[in-house]
Amino acid sequence: MLRPKVPAMPLPTGLVTPPAVVEPTVVIQQTPQDPAPAPFISAAPVPARPAVQLTPGAVITLVGSGTAVVLVVGAVLVSMLLAVAITGASVAICALVIRSLINAQTRR
């Protein structure tokens, strides 16, 4: 009754597709050509990344959303701490009641 049953491997059903045949590809190497000379242009180097520009509205939005996130996360953490504290206090009260009931029975 408690022995595990090992399932038998079922046979595949339906159409079975054959494995795909991989054909080798041919690599053709080209002879290098002489590169054309680049024209001489004295230009300032282009920065790799453009600078981030924040408008006053974007700054206010960022500060507001950051404050909202901090308040929400803080409320969640405080509520979790309060739940743990209430649970611990109720368990302690239950332990005191049970201990007093057991002590009352042994005195009789």
Side-chain angles (χ1 to χ4, degrees), residues 91-102:
V91 168
I93 291 171
C94 289
L96 288 175
V97 169
I98 291 172
R99 189 176 73 172
S100 67
L101 289 174
I102 290 174

Side-chain angles (χ1 to χ4, degrees), residues 59-108:
V59 171
I60 291 172
T61 304
L62 285 174
V63 169
S65 62
T67 303
V69 167
V70 167
L71 289 176
V72 168
V73 170
V76 168
L77 291 177
V78 167
S79 64
M80 288 173 60
L81 180 64
L82 185 62
V84 169
I86 291 172
T87 304
S90 64
V91 168
I93 291 171
C94 289
L96 288 175
V97 169
I98 291 172
R99 189 176 73 172
S100 67
L101 289 174
I102 290 174
N103 286 339
Q105 283 182 347
T106 56
R107 289 180 189 162
R108 289 183 182 179

